[in-house]
Amino acid sequence: MKLSRRDLLFGGAGALAGLVLTPVPWKLLSDVSIWTQNFPWIPQPAHGPVDTKFSTCTLCEGGCGLRVRMAAGCPVGVAGVRNHPLTRGALCPLAFAAHQLNWHPRRLREVRHNGRPASWSEAQAAFEKACGEGPIGIVDGRPGRAASTVFTAFTQKHHGSYQSVLSVESQALAPYADWSGLPVSSLGYDLENARTIVSFGAPVLDGWGTPGRFTRLWSEHAGGAADPQLRLIHIDPSFSRTAARAWRWVPICEGSEAQLAAGVARVLLEERLVSAKGPMPRLTLEDAAAQTDLSTEAIRDLAHTMVEHQPVVVIAADGNPSIAALNVLLGAVGAPGGIVRKRADSHPQASAAPAPSSLRALLVDSTVPWEFVTPASTEVFRFAAWDGGGESAGWLLPAPGFQEELTDVPTPSTSAREMYAVAANLVTPPAEIQSATQFLRQIDATLPEVEKVIHARCEEIFHAREGTVYGEHSVDVATVDTAAHLEEQLRQGAVWLGDSPVSAKFRCELKEWPTENRVSQGTSWASTWIPPVFPALATKLYQESTLRELPAWRLA
Amino acid sequence: MSARYGFVIDLDRCTGCGACMVACAAENNVPPAAPRATPRTGLTPMLVRKVSNGMDGIARREVFIPIACMHCGNETPCVSVCPQQAVEVDKATGIVMQMPQRCLGCRYCMTACPYHARYFNWWDPAWPTGMEKSLNPAVAVRMRGVVEKCNMCHGRLHSAMEKAAAAGRREIDPADYVPACAEACPTGAITFGNLADDKDPVSHAAHSPDAFRLLAKLDTEPKVYFKSQQAWVRGLADRESDRPSEVQNG
Amino acid sequence: MADLVVLDRRFIARGVERSSALRFMFWLVPWVILVGLGIYAAALCLFYGLNQTNMDNRFAFGMWIYLDLGMIALGAGAFFTGFLVYILKQEDLKPILNSAVVVGLICYSGAVAVLMVDVGQPLRAWFTFWHPNTHSMLTEVTFCITCYLFVLILEYLPVLLRNRQLRKVPSFLVFEHQLHKLVPVLAGLGAFLSFFHQGSLGGLYGVLRGRPFAFRQGFAIWPSTFFLFIISAMAVGPSFLILVTATAEAVTGRKLVQSTVFRKLGRISGILLGVYVALKAIDTLVWLNVTSRAVGFAPWDFYAYKPFGSALLFIEILPLGLLPVFLLTLPMTSKRRGWVLCGAALACSGILLNRFVLTVQTLALPTLPFDEYLQYIPSWQEVATFLGVIAYGVILYSLSYRYLPMFGQSKGVDKNVPVG
C-alpha cells in the first residue's frame, strides 16, 4: 500500500497526541527542571560529620573567642562565644567570614624570591648564609606569644636584634609607659569602672581594642539613651559611627586633638576642676579655640562635662602625649576606671635592644602589618599568609593562615586584666606552609618548641592559683586539679582571665605639658586587622552596599 | 501551637558595623560580589542602611537601619504575586519562605516588595577556588537567575527541631534557634523571638511605645519592629516627617 | 541567482505586482542584520546571565517589560478587529483583518521571545502551568498570552496557507478551508482571552500595595488599571493598525486599503480613546486624593522628582490623550488622512507613555521614606534585543505582504491584490 502525505500527516498527528498521554514528555520536562536546579558549575557544600570547636581569633590582637562550626573537617561558620569574659559573644564584622580567608585568591602558597618562585630549601640556605655573615633582626607583630619566646631565644643565641611592632592601641599607652617606667604591655584601660569615656578619635564603638568588649559594655550602660549611666564623648572631625552613637560628639578641626587637650587642661587647672595642680599647658584657651574651631565656651563646657560623672578616662587614637597628659591631670592614671596596671609579672618581653647599625638580614613575622617598611639594604625574609601586593624584593614565605597553627594569644593591650588563651589549629595547613618558628627550628633545633612553651605557661598559670578559666562553665583556677587539665581546657578554646587589676596604683611623672608637635590621626575601624586582605564576604560592606568605604591600605 | 517569629531592632544601639550583613552572608552561602557588582546589583539579604536627619554640624543625627525581609503577615505582597508559588508563608512559624528551586526569575516579587528586601542573582555564584569547602551544608546554594531573600535562617530552625525531636520534646528550645544576624550583633541591637508568646521579651519590646514598623500604613503586618527613643527616627515609620536622606558613602 | 528570482516569483500570487527580488533582498538586509544583532545580544544574556543588562535590584523590570506591555497594547488591533468584524459584523473592516492578525502575531511572538530572555531561568517557564498561583496576575497573563499566541497562530495559518505554492497542496487547502470556518470562534476566543490578559497586564501593577504610585482601588479583585488597560488597548489597537498600514503603503508605494477603512478605524479609536481619557481622569483624581492619601502620600509627592514631574501626567492626558480624540473624531480632521495619521500617532504615543509611567516610573520612585530616586538606562544588549524584535516584525510583515494575501478583496484599490 502506498503511503500518502495525508497518511504521514495523520500518523504524525496521532503519534504526537499519543505521546502527550505517555509519561515521556512530562518526565523530560521535569528532568529539565531538575537540571536547572543542579547546574554542574554551581558549587555544593561538602557534607560530612558536623562538629563545633572553640578557639580564639588571631587576626588582630583583640583575642575574641570563636565558636567554629566544622563540617567534613573544614570550618563552615563562625560565631562568638557567649560566656567569653571579654567579648561575651561579640565579634567584628570580618570575623564572620574569616573562615574563608584561607582560600582567598591572594593566599600565598609558594615561596617567592624577588617575585619569582623558589623553594623552602633555597630560603633556608640563604638564611643560614645570612646568619653566618652578620646580625639578623627579627620583627614580631604580636609580642608576648610563645612564638615571641622562640624569636628572642634565637636572637639572643645568634647575637641578633629582636624588634616588636606595637599595635596602634599599644602605641596609645606608650606615653604612660614612658612616664612611669613600666612596660607598655603591663598597662590597660579599666573601662568597666569608668562612667565617662572621652575618645579622641579612637573608634571605640567600631573596631577598637577587643571589638566586642566596649560594644557590649556601652550597650548595657548607655545604648543611645539620653541620660546614660556611661557617658561616651567622642571627639572627631568627622561624623564617624562612634560619633553617631556617642552621647556627645565634639567636632574639631582635623589634626587639632593636641590643642583641644591643652585647652581642656587649661580650663581644668584654672577652674580647679581637678585636684592636680599642674603642669599647665602653654597654649592659651583662645588659641586652642581658634585652632580647634570650637568656641572657648564649648571647650569650657567640655571640661566641665568631663568631670561631672567620675571616674573619667580619655582614650587617644594613637600615642599623642598631650592626650595622655590629660589623663594624668584627670587623675585617671593608676586609678579604677582609668589607666590601670595589669599583673606586672606578665611574660617578660625582651627589651627591644637598639638595632645594630646595619642588619645582614631581617626576618619579618606574619603578625607584622604589611605596611611595615624594611630597610632597603637588608635581605628580607617576609612571612605572610596573604600577599598584600606592591614590590616584593626579598623572600616571601607562605605562613599559616586562619587557625592553621598552634599558637597562644597573649593579653590584648587594652584589657584591664591579664588574659591567656590558646588557638589550636582547627585546619590542616597546605603542604607548602611553614611558620617562622618552624623555619627557625629547622636552622637551629635547640630552639624551644611553641607547644612546649605553651605547656610551660599553662603550668605557670596553674601554679599561681589565681584567676578564672572560662570554658563551658567558669572555674576558678584554684579548683582545677592538674596543670594538664588546665592546658587541655585552654587548648579546647577556654580562656584564662586574671584577677581584677590588683595593683591599679602606679604613678606617672609629668613635669611639663608635652610640647611634641604631633598631629593625632584618628584611626578607622579595622586598623589593627593584620592581614592585608579582607575576607571575601567583606564585599557586602564595601562593594555591594554603601555602608563602608574600603580603607586605602586594604585589598578587598 | 503556632509561633510568629519576629525581630525587634533597637536603632539606638545599632552602630552600623555590618556584622549582621557578613554573618548572614556566611550562614546562607551568599557568594562574594561578582567583579562588576554594585550596591544596586549586590546580594545582601541583610542590608544596613545609613539614614540621616539631613542636618549638618552638631544638629546632625544618623541612624543605621538593618533591613531584611519583613516577613509580612497580612496579604503578603510577594506571596500573592508569584506566578508559580515559589514563595509561601509557613503557617507554623510565620516565616515567608522563598524556594529558589522553583523560582523562574521573573522578578515580579521584587517589584511588589516595598522594603526592597529581595535580591536577584544577576550572576552565577562563584567562590575563589577551594572556598566552596567552607560553605554551610545546612543551606542550599542558589543558581543564577533566581530571587532570594532572608529566610529567617530556616536551616537553624530545622536543626533546633531535630535537636528537640532527638530529646523527645515537641517544642524547640528558644536558645537553639537564633538567626545569624541576631547572634552576630555586637551590641545586641537585633533581638529575635516569638511575637506570639507573651512571655517572650521580644514580644514585650514590640509593644513598647518606642517601637514602630516601617510603612505601617501599607498594612502589610511586618514581623520586624524597630525601636528608638529619638522622635525623628520613629517618624521614619511612615511618610509623616520631612523626608530624611540616605547617606550614600560609608 | 536567476533560479532564486524564478523561485521567488513562483511564490508571489498571480496578477500581483511586487518589487523585484533583488530590491526586496536589499530591503531585508538591514533588518536581517538587526535580527542577527538581537540574537547575539539575547545569546549573551542567556549565556552570561542577566548581568548583561542594566537592570538591578531596584529596577527589577526594565526596558523589556515596558516594551512588552507596549507591544501587547499596540497589538490589540488583532483581537479587536476580529471582534469588530466577526462579532459586531463590521464587514467594511474585513480588508484589514489579515494584516491585523499579522501585526498581532508579530507583537505577541516578539513579546514572548523577549520574555524568554527576560526571565532568569527560561527552562522553568513551564512551572507557571504546573504550579499556578490563582492570586497572581502574572499567572493569568502567562496562561492567556500563551493561549492567545496559539490562537493567533491558528488565525495566521489560513493566511499562510493561501500562498500560491502552498495552496497547491490539497490537504493544506482542505485544512485551510476547515480553519476558515473556525475563524469566528477563534475571533471570539481571541477577544475573550485578550480581554483578560490586557486587563491583567494592567492589574500587574495595580495590585502592588507596596507601590502607592501604581496601586489602585478597583472592582472586586481587579484594580482600576485592569479596566483602563483593556479600554486603552482597544483604543490604540486600531490606531496602530492605521500607522502600520500607512507605513507599508509608504514603503511599497501602493495604496493598500481604502481610506474609509482608515477613517473608520480612526473614529473607533478616537471614541474609545475618549472614553479611556475620561475614565483615566476620574481614576487619577481618586488615586491622588483618596488611595494614596490613605498611605501618606500627598498628591504631588509622586511628581517631586523632576525628570518625572507632573508634566508627564498632563502630557499623557492632554496632548497625547484628549488631542487625538478630537483629531480622530471631529469631522473636520477625521476625514483628512494627514490628521488621522497624526491622531493615530499621538494616541499610540500616549499609550506607550502610559505603559512607561506604570512600569519604569513606578520603580524609580522611592517606597521607603529614606529611599533615593534612582536612574536606569538600558544597556546595549537590551536595546539590541528589542531592535531585533522590531526587525523580526518588519521581516515577517514584509514576507507576509510579499507572498501572502494580506489585504483582502476590495474595489477601488490597486488590482495588485489577489482575489480570494
Side-chain angles (χ1 to χ4, degrees):
Chain A
M1 97 180 197
K2 215 171 125 203
L3 270 178
S4 73
R5 204 180 295 140
R6 176 180 299 201
D7 294 327
L8 275 172
L9 275 175
F10 283 147
L16 212 65
L19 196 65
V20 163
L21 293 170
T22 65
V24 171
W26 313 112
K27 191 71 183 63
L28 281 173
L29 265 181
S30 75
D31 280 348
V32 158
S33 75
I34 289 172
W35 182 73
T36 66
Q37 297 165 26
N38 293 284
F39 286 149
W41 58 88
I42 304 293
Q44 299 296 327
H47 287 267
V50 172
D51 197 10
T52 302
K53 290 206 157 69
F54 292 87
S55 185
T56 305
C57 187
T58 53
L59 295 170
C60 83
E61 56 140 55
C64 302
L66 295 179
R67 176 163 46 93
V68 183
R69 214 161 89 248
M70 313 279 291
C74 274
V76 295
V78 171
V81 178
R82 280 269 146 220
N83 57 349
H84 190 282
L86 220 53
T87 61
R88 292 185 282 159
L91 291 172
C92 76
L94 301 177
F96 294 95
H99 61 295
Q100 296 183 331
L101 269 175
N102 292 335
W103 295 280
H104 194 282
R106 298 192 78 96
R107 177 77 203 266
L108 282 169
R109 293 180 194 278
E110 58 173 8
V111 176
R112 282 201 249 157
H113 183 223
N114 292 337
R116 282 175 290 104
S119 73
W120 279 106
S121 43
E122 288 172 42
Q124 205 178 310
F127 192 74
E128 276 172 357
K129 181 159 170 282
C131 279
E133 290 173 3
I136 307 284
I138 298 187
V139 188
D140 186 2
R142 189 83 55 77
R145 297 174 293 157
S148 313
T149 310
V150 178
F151 294 152
T152 50
F154 181 89
T155 50
Q156 275 166 12
K157 239 180 112 177
H158 298 263
H159 311 291
S161 88
Y162 169 85
Q163 182 188 341
S164 59
V165 173
L166 291 182
S167 67
V168 74
E169 284 101 340
S170 285
Q171 288 169 33
L173 290 168
Y176 311 105
D178 289 340
W179 299 331
S180 65
L182 296 172
V184 171
S185 61
S186 67
L187 303 175
Y189 299 87
D190 185 22
L191 300 174
E192 281 74 11
N193 290 316
R195 289 192 65 203
T196 303
I197 293 177
V198 184
S199 157
F200 274 73
V204 288
L205 282 177
D206 198 25
W208 176 86
T210 304
R213 176 193 175 200
F214 189 62
T215 51
R216 288 276 187 236
L217 203 62
W218 172 83
S219 180
E220 279 165 11
H221 299 293
D227 185 21
Q229 272 184 292
L230 170 64
R231 291 179 172 184
L232 173 62
I233 301 173
H234 187 66
I235 297 162
D236 201 321
S238 65
F239 196 68
S240 63
R241 272 169 176 72
T242 307
R245 289 280 80 82
W247 176 69
R248 288 269 190 278
W249 170 48
V250 180
I252 56 168
C253 206
E254 217 169 305
S256 63
E257 282 83 359
Q259 288 81 351
L260 178 62
V264 168
R266 193 163 262 280
V267 174
L268 290 174
L269 287 167
E270 281 175 358
E271 300 189 20
R272 298 213 177 81
L273 297 173
V274 291
S275 53
K277 298 282 181 274
M280 178 72 79
R282 276 199 216 115
L283 197 67
T284 63
L285 185 56
E286 288 69 30
D287 280 340
Q291 289 183 40
T292 56
D293 222 14
L294 294 171
S295 64
T296 53
E297 261 320 297
I299 299 183
R300 270 207 191 88
D301 185 54
L302 177 62
H304 281 266
T305 310
M306 274 167 68
V307 296
E308 240 175 17
H309 279 223
Q310 304 240 11
V312 54
V313 66
V314 174
I315 300 178
D318 58 13
N320 191 328
S322 304
I323 301 170
L326 201 51
N327 260 337
V328 178
L329 275 193
L330 288 166
V333 172
I339 315 292
V340 294
R341 189 177 174 184
K342 305 182 258 227
R343 293 301 293 272
D345 49 352
S346 38
H347 303 286
Q349 269 181 266
S351 52
S357 44
S358 66
L359 291 166
R360 170 61 181 78
L362 197 62
L363 186 144
V364 182
D365 185 50
S366 59
T367 50
V368 175
W370 191 257
E371 302 80 55
F372 182 79
V373 177
T374 51
S377 53
T378 325
E379 189 176 9
V380 175
F381 293 80
R382 217 304 177 193
F383 280 82
W386 300 276
D387 182 1
E391 294 167 14
S392 45
W395 296 87
L396 203 50
L397 304 161
F402 180 69
Q403 306 287 313
E404 277 183 343
E405 64 168 334
L406 173 70
T407 181
D408 58 354
V409 181
T411 313
S413 62
T414 52
S415 168
R417 294 155 70 168
E418 274 201 286
M419 191 185 98
Y420 190 68
V422 174
N425 56 322
L426 299 178
V427 186
T428 319
E432 273 299 300
I433 305 301
Q434 231 184 88
S435 69
T437 49
Q438 287 168 320
F439 183 73
L440 289 174
R441 288 200 79 246
Q442 299 256 354
I443 305 214
D444 180 353
T446 65
L447 289 174
E449 269 181 55
V450 163
E451 196 163 351
K452 297 232 165 49
V453 176
I454 292 176
H455 176 77
R457 290 180 175 190
C458 291
E459 296 245 338
E460 244 182 80
I461 293 175
F462 175 76
H463 288 298
R465 293 325 220 159
E466 277 166 358
T468 316
V469 175
Y470 293 84
E472 207 178 316
H473 314 281
S474 40
V475 163
D476 281 337
V477 173
T479 64
V480 176
D481 47 357
T482 61
H485 195 195
L486 176 73
E487 184 178 346
E488 189 197 324
Q489 282 200 54
L490 289 179
R491 287 182 76 147
Q492 282 175 1
V495 170
W496 173 79
L497 200 69
D499 292 331
S500 309
V502 168
S503 55
K505 288 197 188 329
F506 67 97
R507 285 201 56 212
C508 274
E509 292 283 332
L510 193 61
K511 295 216 175 48
E512 54 171 23
W513 192 261
T515 50
E516 187 186 317
N517 195 9
R518 179 205 194 110
V519 168
S520 201
Q521 287 248 267
T523 55
S524 62
W525 90 295
S527 52
T528 53
W529 174 262
I530 300 277
V533 299
F534 276 151
L537 287 179
T539 57
K540 303 295 155 205
L541 306 176
Y542 294 108
Q543 188 184 341
E544 294 170 272
S545 72
T546 54
L547 191 63
R548 290 187 183 276
E549 266 172 26
L550 191 65
W553 32 266
R554 288 285 178 259
L555 297 172
Chain B
M1 182 190 120
S2 65
R4 253 180 66 231
Y5 288 111
F7 293 88
V8 175
I9 301 181
D10 188 343
L11 297 180
D12 294 334
R13 283 189 160 77
C14 177
T15 59
C17 67
C20 52
M21 290 175 63
V22 179
C24 167
E27 167 74 17
N28 292 295
N29 294 339
V30 179
R36 284 190 299 121
T38 64
R40 285 170 63 170
T41 50
L43 259 180
T44 47
M46 168 61 90
L47 174 66
V48 178
R49 298 180 66 168
K50 193 201 288 200
V51 179
S52 84
N53 65 349
M55 306 203 227
D56 280 316
I58 303 277
R60 186 175 182 83
R61 298 281 179 273
E62 272 179 12
V63 76
F64 296 93
I65 307 185
I67 302 253
C69 175
M70 301 281 161
H71 298 276
C72 302
N74 178 33
E75 285 178 44
T76 317
C78 57
V79 170
S80 50
V81 300
C82 177
Q84 47 223 33
Q85 302 186 62
V87 206
E88 62 176 17
V89 183
D90 181 4
K91 300 248 178 340
T93 56
I95 299 176
V96 176
M97 300 285 313
Q98 172 80 15
M99 286 173 268
Q101 289 79 2
R102 195 187 282 181
C103 177
L104 163 68
C106 70
R107 309 184 298 285
Y108 190 20
C109 56
M110 291 172 71
T111 61
C113 178
Y115 303 102
H116 311 302
R118 290 172 152 274
Y119 300 86
F120 189 69
N121 281 273
W122 299 99
W123 287 269
D124 269 318
W127 283 265
T129 319
M131 208 183 269
E132 64 274 356
K133 295 200 196 77
S134 66
L135 291 178
N136 180 3
V139 175
V141 179
R142 281 75 63 195
M143 63 294 295
R144 78 150 94 126
V146 298
V147 176
E148 63 181 63
K149 68 169 191 67
C150 160
N151 268 356
M152 247 194 235
C153 284
H154 201 253
R156 294 187 175 199
L157 174 61
H158 265 292
S159 304
M161 281 162 54
E162 274 171 17
K163 200 166 152 194
R169 284 182 278 117
R170 290 204 68 193
E171 301 280 326
I172 62 164
D173 180 358
D176 284 339
Y177 175 39
V178 181
C181 53
E183 187 183 58
C185 182
T187 55
I190 301 180
T191 52
F192 172 80
N194 183 356
L195 295 169
D197 181 2
D198 289 328
K199 295 197 265 346
D200 194 321
V202 163
S203 167
H204 192 71
H207 291 103
S208 90
D210 289 338
F212 66 96
R213 291 182 289 185
L214 287 176
L215 300 179
K217 279 206 175 120
L218 287 182
D219 205 25
T220 51
E221 278 296 311
K223 295 197 190 65
V224 177
Y225 289 77
F226 296 93
K227 220 168 80 126
S228 173
Q229 290 180 8
Q230 302 177 68
W232 77 275
V233 173
R234 289 199 301 275
L236 293 173
D238 271 307
R239 304 181 52 80
E240 269 140 6
S241 60
D242 272 327
R243 283 194 68 240
S245 52
E246 177 168 28
V247 183
Q248 286 301 317
N249 302 319
Chain C
M1 184 61 202
D3 291 330
L4 274 174
V5 174
V6 169
L7 194 66
D8 169 72
R9 187 68 238 183
R10 282 226 208 102
F11 277 89
I12 297 178
R14 271 194 213 91
V16 156
E17 206 183 280
R18 292 283 180 263
S19 55
S20 71
L22 195 63
R23 227 167 126 209
F24 186 63
M25 255 173 46
F26 276 128
W27 162 251
L28 282 185
V29 162
W31 307 109
V32 171
I33 291 176
L34 270 180
V35 169
L37 207 60
I39 291 177
Y40 173 62
L44 281 178
C45 295
L46 289 171
F47 191 71
Y48 288 114
L50 285 171
N51 57 80
Q52 296 287 305
T53 66
N54 277 349
M55 290 188 283
D56 54 49
N57 294 325
R58 280 284 296 273
F59 279 96
F61 283 170
M63 182 176 119
W64 283 336
I65 294 289
Y66 158 55
L67 291 171
D68 279 345
L69 262 68
M71 281 201 291
I72 288 178
L74 296 176
F79 91 83
F80 194 47
T81 318
F83 178 74
L84 287 168
V85 170
Y86 290 110
I87 312 294
L88 295 187
K89 305 292 183 213
Q90 303 290 313
E91 296 286 328
D92 43 352
L93 288 178
K94 217 168 181 162
I96 208 162
L97 195 54
N98 285 348
S99 72
V101 166
V102 175
V103 168
L105 182 64
I106 290 169
C107 287
Y108 278 79
S109 57
V112 171
V114 164
L115 270 174
M116 284 300 101
V117 185
D118 201 357
V119 294
Q121 290 279 347
L123 289 173
R124 297 185 189 173
W126 63 280
F127 280 8
T128 312
F129 298 97
W130 204 247
H131 307 282
N133 178 3
T134 50
H135 297 285
S136 170
M137 287 282 172
L138 199 51
T139 306
E140 208 284 322
V141 166
T142 310
F143 272 88
C144 278
I145 287 191
T146 316
C147 295
Y148 185 60
L149 186 60
F150 195 55
V151 166
L152 276 172
I153 293 173
L154 285 179
E155 288 183 337
Y156 183 64
L157 273 180
V159 184
L160 181 65
L161 292 177
R162 286 222 292 278
N163 174 265
R164 179 177 159 194
Q165 294 299 323
L166 292 175
R167 290 181 76 156
K168 290 188 183 159
V169 180
S171 47
F172 284 176
L173 209 53
V174 170
F175 184 55
E176 184 252 313
H177 188 65
Q178 302 293 347
L179 262 184
H180 211 69
K181 293 193 203 154
L182 264 183
V183 164
V185 173
L186 288 175
L189 186 62
F192 175 77
L193 288 171
S194 293
F195 183 86
F196 274 103
H197 72 246
Q198 293 286 357
S200 296
L201 284 173
L204 275 189
Y205 280 82
V207 293
L208 298 180
R209 263 157 70 229
R211 304 266 177 189
F213 182 72
F215 182 65
R216 299 286 188 278
Q217 314 276 28
F219 173 70
I221 58 168
W222 300 296
S224 61
T225 44
F226 182 94
F227 305 101
L228 289 175
F229 262 51
I230 297 173
I231 299 175
S232 59
M234 295 194 314
V236 83
S239 280
F240 188 58
L241 264 185
I242 292 174
L243 287 179
V244 169
T245 314
T247 312
E249 288 184 341
V251 169
T252 59
R254 300 185 190 97
K255 189 161 172 197
L256 299 171
V257 287
Q258 285 186 323
S259 32
T260 47
V261 173
F262 274 18
R263 229 173 283 151
K264 180 147 194 175
L265 283 176
R267 194 168 300 134
I268 293 172
S269 183
I271 293 170
L272 281 171
L273 198 61
V275 171
Y276 166 67
V277 170
L279 287 176
K280 180 156 174 78
I282 297 171
D283 172 70
T284 304
L285 288 171
V286 170
W287 163 64
L288 285 175
N289 292 297
V290 179
T291 319
S292 300
R293 273 202 192 277
V295 289
F297 281 87
W300 305 118
D301 265 350
F302 295 124
Y303 297 101
Y305 184 42
K306 271 315 138 202
F308 293 144
S310 47
L312 271 187
L313 182 62
F314 287 116
I315 290 174
E316 196 190 320
I317 296 190
L318 295 174
L320 298 182
L322 216 48
L323 181 58
V325 172
F326 292 138
L327 290 179
L328 292 170
T329 53
L330 292 181
M332 63 178 163
T333 47
S334 66
K335 287 194 172 53
R336 311 265 284 279
R337 183 190 168 91
W339 286 119
V340 170
L341 287 181
C342 185
L346 288 174
C348 290
S349 306
I351 297 310
L352 284 178
L353 179 61
N354 168 263
R355 297 325 190 238
F356 175 83
V357 159
L358 217 49
T359 53
V360 177
Q361 186 173 355
T362 305
L363 294 179
L365 292 178
T367 51
L368 289 167
F370 42 86
D371 274 342
E372 290 288 310
Y373 295 103
L374 291 177
Q375 212 189 28
Y376 154 74
I377 297 173
S379 68
W380 77 263
Q381 291 92 331
E382 293 174 82
V383 176
T385 313
F386 181 65
L387 289 180
V389 164
I390 297 194
Y392 147 77
V394 171
I395 293 175
L396 188 57
Y397 194 90
S398 306
L399 289 173
S400 301
Y401 171 70
R402 188 175 179 79
Y403 298 122
L404 305 176
M406 281 249 285
F407 297 96
Q409 59 271 59
S410 196
K411 296 203 172 56
V413 173
D414 278 353
K415 19 189 231 315
N416 303 321
V417 182
V419 176

